[in-house]
Amino acid sequence: MFLTTAFVLHVVSGALWTGATLYVAYATLPRAADGTLGRAAFVDAAHRLLVITRWTGVVLPVTGAYMIWTLYTPLDLLTASPRGWAVLAMLSLWGAMNGLVELGVLRMRREVDPDIGWGAYMAEGFPVDALGGDGPTAARLAARSRPYLLASAGLAALLLVDAALLAGGVPA
């Protein structure tokens, strides 16, 4: 029962996060860059991605750790089998993707508030009300976050491939 619940929460959280990342990178980022998406809408999409990233940043490690503890004991199974390597690859991809989303949104936020510290940013993220009146355009914000969001989208695609291999293609 617990293992099934962990799988469900893990897969749903991973799907939400990778889907949100791909959506922001491929649907909102280009429109912000070319000026067809307003600044507030782009910031809102990036902030919502950040909220999803942080929420799944709790659910995925907790459920993943439980699944590792249940399925890969003794822990050397992680380093001694292709399935274990796929799990370790997933963990690495997740960490890098998480960091890239955080850095991309932080770079956007610093365009509006150059003096924001890491603690304040972690507490607030980049809500639309932080934009103020005048400031950088959506295109400028998109340019600042573009490399990070595109890299995170690439990692999201790799994460989905890894998940598919774990779901049915990697031998134990």
Side-chain angles (χ1 to χ4, degrees):
M1 171 73 176
F2 289 124
L3 186 58
T4 301
T5 302
F7 270 113
V8 169
L9 290 173
H10 199 80
V11 169
V12 169
S13 295
L16 176 64
W17 184 37
T18 56
T21 301
L22 292 167
Y23 179 79
V24 169
Y26 292 108
T28 65
L29 183 62
R31 293 188 63 225
D34 70 14
T36 57
L37 183 66
R39 183 173 71 138
F42 181 56
V43 166
D44 184 55
H47 178 70
R48 289 173 189 265
L49 172 60
L50 190 62
V51 170
I52 290 169
T53 297
R54 291 177 179 178
W55 176 78
T56 59
V58 173
V59 174
L60 291 171
V62 168
T63 57
Y66 178 74
M67 290 186 293
I68 287 172
W69 176 62
T70 303
L71 300 172
Y72 295 92
T73 303
L75 288 179
D76 58 330
L77 288 174
L78 284 173
T79 58
S81 71
R83 238 181 128 65
W85 299 332
V87 169
L88 293 174
M90 182 174 278
L91 181 62
S92 300
L93 290 167
W94 172 84
M97 199 175 142
N98 211 335
L100 287 167
V101 169
E102 287 284 355
L103 286 172
V105 178
L106 175 61
R107 295 287 304 259
M108 286 174 54
R109 178 74 191 263
R110 287 196 171 150
E111 281 295 306
V112 173
D113 185 4
D115 297 326
I116 190 162
W118 185 252
Y121 166 74
M122 290 304 290
E124 299 169 9
F126 193 6
V128 173
D129 60 356
L131 279 172
D134 292 331
T137 63
R140 177 70 184 154
L141 294 173
R144 297 302 277 171
S145 64
R146 186 175 193 274
Y148 303 97
L149 294 179
L150 290 180
S152 69
L155 294 179
L158 290 174
L159 195 60
L160 290 171
V161 169
D162 192 358
L165 291 172
L166 280 168
V170 177

